[in-house]
Amino acid sequence: MTFYTTTPIYYVNAQPHLGHAYTTIAADVLARHMRQRGEDVFFLTGTDEHGEPVALAAEAEGISPKELADRNAARFEALMPRIEATNDFFIRTSDPRHVEAVRELMQRIYDAGHIYKGSYEGLYCPRCADFKTPSEVGEGDTCPVHGIELAVEKEENWFFRLSAFQEDLEKLFEDQPEFVRPVERRNEALSFIKGGLRDISCSRAGLAWGVPVPWDEEQVFYVWFDALLNYFTALSFAKPGEDLTDKYWPADVQLVGKDILKFHAVYWPAILMAAGLPVQKSLVVHGYLLMDGEKMSKSLGNVLDPFEVMDRFGADALRFYLLREVQFGADGTVSTEGFETRYETELANDFGNLASRTLAMVGRWRDGKVAATTLDPAVGNDLAPLADEVAALLDKVEPTQALEAIWTRIRRLNRYVEETAPWTLAKDEAEAERLDQVLATLVEGIRVVTIALHAFMPVSTAKLLDALGVEDTSWAAASWQAEGPGGEVGALEPLFPKS
RNA sequence: GCCCCGGUAGCUCAGUGGUUAGAGCGACGGACUCAUAAUCCGGAGUGCGCGGGUUCGAAUCCCGCCCGGGGCACCA
């Protein structure tokens, strides 16, 4: 089976921040997990580079839009290895291959009769060379960028017949109740559709930084059309010499933040329908990361800096924290205090220390050898369902619940240590076999939770698995007693050191 | 104004008809010593926003209200 997942492509007019890391990390966890399960995975991310804001920013700096895009795209591309993202390709919409593919697809939609010439009327800024939406316009009908007064202008441009897809979209949402998740976002998109769809303009005149309309080279496509199509076009050129489109399209899970719901839940499926292509299988919408209950913003100075966190604690800790702390799909609060608490209590104390104490005991009393003995069913009963539970939760894109399921088991293992008190068993020769069993059970328990955690925290789990002498990180190996009993474990530095 | 989601222990949240409503964090008391002064146990702490209703029985269903957040189109 194949599994294709995407993040939004990030607009190059901004610096990479926590929000970008968040979506990408979630997608990466899915991608890594599905690879563990043996799926043929394709994971796409990239940058959105066309449009007026980039053109304006470049102009302000006295460089070309392409130069600006090159510089800023590099920052996003550099983010990926930093957060341990294993994207299979990084698409840039300024890529000529993408541009060409967009032209072909839009031509197809045009030929099918879904695009017509119309006129757009609105407040126009001649300096921006673009229309302003009511929400963008400043006081007294002024341009928020240039501060000049705006006049109502008409522009001839091309319109996409969105209204023609009203019924098909409603049917899509009815036939596939889980097309958009979580349910409140589905409702929101559906009510938007049911409210009556109007056609939208899909081209802009007077803007050069974009994909030229093939049948009207004076115009470029509205940047959202160009951007949305990336999920499809990338497949045609991501792998040199091979077109992956048929293999991976339609995408299985497209992840987006709630701010771009409408584009992905309404426009994008309609565009695909217009092009005669299958619609993506699902759209999963996450919320905002808030700090002090407010949306993060640099001006408020309340940003949890992902780079600072990673410098001090590593990418794994950031990945864990974001997915653990905030119920995926809902808005949630993040903070440096919250991070430190999770890091110390859950990563260092619960998980890291469980590994340390277990390996130390095996080292001290058994010279690192794990006996090939029967495991304790008391723990086995609790750990055995874990792999299926986690897989089912990640199928539903519920990483927060998956982590909770794993942590319940980590706590179980710590409790088991107290219940059995291996240090007491170690003092009594008659309890030698029991001690073997307890230690072997603990090692197996740790192996199972660590493989389950591998997609979330690839770096630290790899260290631990190495110390455990475990090589197979496939999902099949995440089952209780998937591997034969016995083995040898090595030493381990604290996985999550406390400062 | 209309629509959607939420309002459960000090904090963050789980729980969507049925035993004395749960978890984690925090706080208090205790146990233990293998471990990154980690871990484990215990009691305490709420009767589930408010008011009605349905039901043998509701946090869980229905109605109304209050509070918070979001959406109601061409901002990426």
Side-chain angles (χ1 to χ4, degrees), chain A residues 342-492:
Chain A
R342 293 272 184 198
Y343 181 85
E344 290 208 358
T345 60
E346 301 194 332
L347 290 181
N349 298 352
D350 292 345
F351 182 50
N353 185 54
L354 171 67
S356 293
R357 68 198 305 207
T358 301
L359 293 188
M361 289 189 283
V362 176
R364 181 194 284 216
W365 298 315
R366 289 296 182 264
D367 226 9
K369 304 274 195 305
V370 180
T373 179
T374 317
L375 302 185
D376 196 331
V379 170
N381 290 340
D382 289 333
L383 273 281
L386 179 63
D388 285 348
E389 254 176 58
V390 169
L393 288 166
L394 289 180
D395 279 340
K396 293 192 287 178
V397 195
E398 293 185 358
T400 309
Q401 276 82 345
L403 283 172
E404 176 59 26
I406 294 167
W407 240 258
T408 299
R409 277 30 178 244
I410 288 171
R411 293 196 197 95
R412 174 69 187 96
L413 291 169
N414 272 319
R415 210 180 317 129
Y416 183 68
V417 176
E418 301 303 318
E419 285 166 7
T420 57
W423 46 92
T424 305
L425 300 175
K427 289 175 188 155
D428 185 351
E429 265 309 307
E431 296 284 10
E433 278 186 34
R434 174 60 174 156
L435 180 59
D436 279 336
Q437 179 185 45
V438 167
L439 295 178
T441 300
L442 283 170
V443 168
E444 174 62 4
I446 293 172
R447 188 189 68 82
V448 166
V449 296
T450 305
I451 293 174
L453 277 173
H454 195 229
F456 293 89
M457 299 192 286
V459 179
S460 45
T461 52
K463 280 187 206 163
L464 176 50
L465 291 169
D466 185 54
L468 292 172
V470 172
E471 287 178 3
D472 187 357
T473 58
S474 73
W475 201 250
S479 297
W480 182 250
Q481 289 189 294
E483 296 202 347
E488 186 160 358
V489 300
L492 180 71

Side-chain angles (χ1 to χ4, degrees), chain A residues 128-366:
Chain A
C128 296
D130 200 12
F131 289 90
K132 298 294 164 187
T133 64
S135 58
E136 293 183 284
V137 174
E139 278 177 48
D141 288 350
T142 56
C143 170
V145 181
H146 298 99
I148 58 176
E149 205 166 308
L150 303 178
V152 176
E153 297 274 345
K154 271 175 100 169
E155 178 180 293
E156 293 271 292
N157 48 36
W158 297 95
F159 277 71
F160 173 63
R161 221 178 280 280
L162 181 64
S163 60
F165 297 93
Q166 168 111 20
E167 280 181 27
D168 288 339
L169 286 169
E170 285 183 22
K171 187 167 188 310
L172 170 68
F173 277 69
E174 276 162 33
D175 292 349
Q176 297 178 48
E178 304 218 309
F179 176 60
V180 176
R181 285 169 294 176
V183 68
E184 58 266 34
R185 305 267 91 100
R186 181 199 108 101
N187 292 345
E188 202 173 300
L190 183 56
S191 71
F192 176 81
I193 294 165
K194 287 192 165 169
L197 295 175
R198 283 183 247 149
D199 294 343
I200 51 176
S201 65
C202 65
S203 72
R204 291 293 138 93
L207 178 68
W209 184 233
V211 177
V213 175
W215 61 89
D216 179 1
E217 302 277 348
E218 296 299 301
Q219 304 215 10
V220 298
F221 287 112
Y222 174 45
V223 68
W224 265 108
F225 282 78
D226 163 10
L228 287 166
L229 284 168
N230 94 86
Y231 304 121
F232 183 80
T233 66
L235 294 174
S236 67
F237 59 88
K239 188 170 180 183
E242 190 181 346
D243 189 331
L244 301 172
T245 308
D246 291 342
K247 185 172 180 187
Y248 293 112
W249 192 261
D252 292 85
V253 175
Q254 297 207 270
L255 288 172
V256 296
K258 66 180 184 179
D259 51 330
I260 50 178
L261 170 69
K262 188 172 59 193
F263 299 99
H264 288 82
V266 183
Y267 295 3
W268 178 221
I271 292 169
L272 286 164
M273 289 172 180
L277 295 169
V279 168
Q280 78 266 34
K281 290 183 196 157
S282 75
L283 181 70
V284 175
V285 185
H286 70 250
Y288 288 145
L289 300 180
L290 309 173
M291 302 202 67
D292 301 324
E294 293 186 63
K295 193 177 175 185
M296 288 186 301
S297 84
K298 279 191 176 169
S299 56
L300 288 171
N302 59 358
V303 174
L304 178 73
D305 186 335
F307 298 102
E308 216 170 277
V309 168
M310 288 190 291
D311 282 342
R312 284 186 60 195
F313 302 97
D316 277 7
L318 179 70
R319 293 166 63 100
F320 168 79
Y321 175 67
L322 294 179
L323 295 176
R324 173 76 167 142
E325 183 83 319
V326 178
Q327 168 61 41
F328 198 72
D331 288 355
T333 305
V334 295
S335 66
T336 49
E337 299 76 41
F339 173 82
E340 281 163 20
T341 300
R342 293 272 184 198
Y343 181 85
E344 290 208 358
T345 60
E346 301 194 332
L347 290 181
N349 298 352
D350 292 345
F351 182 50
N353 185 54
L354 171 67
S356 293
R357 68 198 305 207
T358 301
L359 293 188
M361 289 189 283
V362 176
R364 181 194 284 216
W365 298 315
R366 289 296 182 264

Side-chain angles (χ1 to χ4, degrees), chain A residues 1-5 26-43 86 88 181 252-253 390-398 451-452 454-456 473-476:
Chain A
M1 290 264 287
T2 59
F3 181 81
Y4 178 29
T5 189
D28 186 60
V29 168
L30 289 183
R32 286 177 181 268
H33 171 76
M34 290 303 176
R35 288 192 201 105
Q36 280 183 291
R37 282 162 65 173
E39 308 290 359
D40 186 340
V41 170
F42 197 81
F43 167 22
T86 53
D88 294 286
R181 285 169 294 176
D252 292 85
V253 175
V390 169
L393 288 166
L394 289 180
D395 279 340
K396 293 192 287 178
V397 195
E398 293 185 358
I451 293 174
H454 195 229
F456 293 89
T473 58
S474 73
W475 201 250

